[in-house]
Each structure stands twice: as C-alpha cells, then as structure tokens.
Amino acid sequence: MDNINIKKLAKELNISTSTISRAFNGNTDINKDTKERILAYAKQHNYLPNHYASNLRDKKTNTLAVIVPEIANDFFSQAINGIEEVARKKGFYILLYRTDDVFEKEVSFVNYLNNGKADGIIMSVSGEASDHNYLRQLEKNMCLLFFSTAFTRILRPPK
C-alpha cells in the first residue's frame, strides 16, 4: 500500500480513524487485541502518525527554540547541552538558532517561531540593539526565557 495515511489504514482494518488514533496515543479505552492489530498492521506498512496534524489539533509542538548569538562560546555551548538534556527528559525537542549577534536574524527567527512552530523560546538577546519591543508580541502566545552570562528572566503568557 503506497502513501498510507490514517484514513487508508482505517479503511483497510475496517475501524474508525479515532480508534487508530487512540491506539497510537496509548489511550486505555481501546481493546488490547484491536490495538495490537492496528500497531502490527501499521508497522508492516511503515505507517507513522502525522505528528504535525496532532500538533495543530492540540496546539502544542513539544518543541522549544533556543536562540543564541554563538555556539563556540563555552557558556552558550554548556547552556545548549543543559537545555537539551532537560528538554529531552521532559519530552521536548529543541530547535537551535544562531544569530551571530545580528539583530535582524534574531527578529527573523522570532517572527518565524511566533507562528506556532515552538511552545516556547529560550534566548540570549542580541547585544547589537537596545530596542527589543518586537518580543512583546510573543508574551501573548508562548513562554519566553531570557538568559545571558549576567541574568535570567522568564516571561509567561497570561492565562
């Protein structure tokens, strides 16, 4: 079966797409035999759930963006290692963006990420500019953590 998707899988197994979804999400209100049949058939046909679709539905990506001016600096490389380790343990992935301390790159990355690409941003702001008002738009949508060698500050979106 070419280009298998959840609808084709459901049709082949004569069950609903929601049952297939429950099987992949570890839901307990599905018969054990049905779940095993779904997972075995899916594996046989190289089917993997579309996490982008579920991310859209759940409005959650399990992804954190890390924006730093450079990675060669020992402080930032250690910070990235620590962030990745903690994020992984909590079920998150990280996206790493390097700005080269260029303000325009920083703004570009933040604007890109503000469209639901990440659940939060951990960043060290550019030393190139003093006006970081463009970050105010993010306060409404996601958690921000600012860090540098001198300080750490967390901004959370209002509930």
Side-chain angles (χ1 to χ4, degrees):
M1 186 180 306
D2 292 325
N3 297 326
I4 189 165
N5 60 36
I6 195 168
K7 289 181 181 179
K8 290 180 184 177
L9 190 62
K11 185 176 179 181
E12 289 296 316
L13 293 171
N14 197 28
I15 54 178
S16 70
T17 56
S18 61
T19 301
I20 291 173
S21 180
R22 285 194 298 274
F24 276 96
N25 291 329
N27 206 312
T28 56
D29 64 345
I30 182 173
N31 179 290
K32 182 182 174 191
D33 293 336
T34 302
K35 180 178 179 177
E36 288 175 2
R37 185 170 63 109
I38 292 168
L39 296 178
Y41 190 88
K43 184 176 182 178
Q44 179 183 359
H45 291 88
N46 298 318
Y47 170 77
L48 292 172
N50 183 339
H51 291 290
Y52 292 115
S54 59
N55 290 347
L56 286 172
R57 180 187 64 241
D58 299 338
K59 296 181 181 171
K60 188 171 181 190
T61 65
N62 285 353
T63 302
L64 299 173
V66 179
I67 303 174
V68 293
E70 59 180 316
I71 56 176
N73 177 302
D74 192 48
F75 172 79
F76 292 117
S77 65
Q78 287 183 32
I80 292 165
N81 285 340
I83 292 166
E84 193 280 329
E85 184 178 331
V86 172
R88 187 174 15 89
K89 286 178 182 175
K90 299 288 185 181
F92 282 80
Y93 300 95
I94 67 164
L95 297 173
L96 181 61
Y97 295 89
R98 181 179 50 92
T99 66
D100 296 317
D101 229 359
V102 175
F103 182 71
E104 289 78 19
K105 281 185 173 182
E106 181 180 300
V107 172
S108 175
F109 293 149
V110 167
N111 288 337
Y112 173 76
L113 292 165
N114 193 28
N115 199 14
K117 306 276 191 284
D119 295 330
I121 297 176
I122 301 170
M123 71 184 293
S124 182
V125 294
S126 169
E128 188 178 89
S130 59
D131 182 12
H132 296 284
N133 283 324
Y134 71 96
L135 293 168
R136 298 260 179 247
Q137 65 186 336
L138 293 178
E139 292 180 69
K140 300 171 191 151
N141 301 324
M142 66 177 69
C143 185
L144 299 171
L145 185 137
F146 300 101
F147 76 103
S148 73
T149 56
F151 74 93
T152 301
R153 180 175 178 208
I154 299 173
L155 296 177
R156 297 185 190 276
K159 294 191 183 211

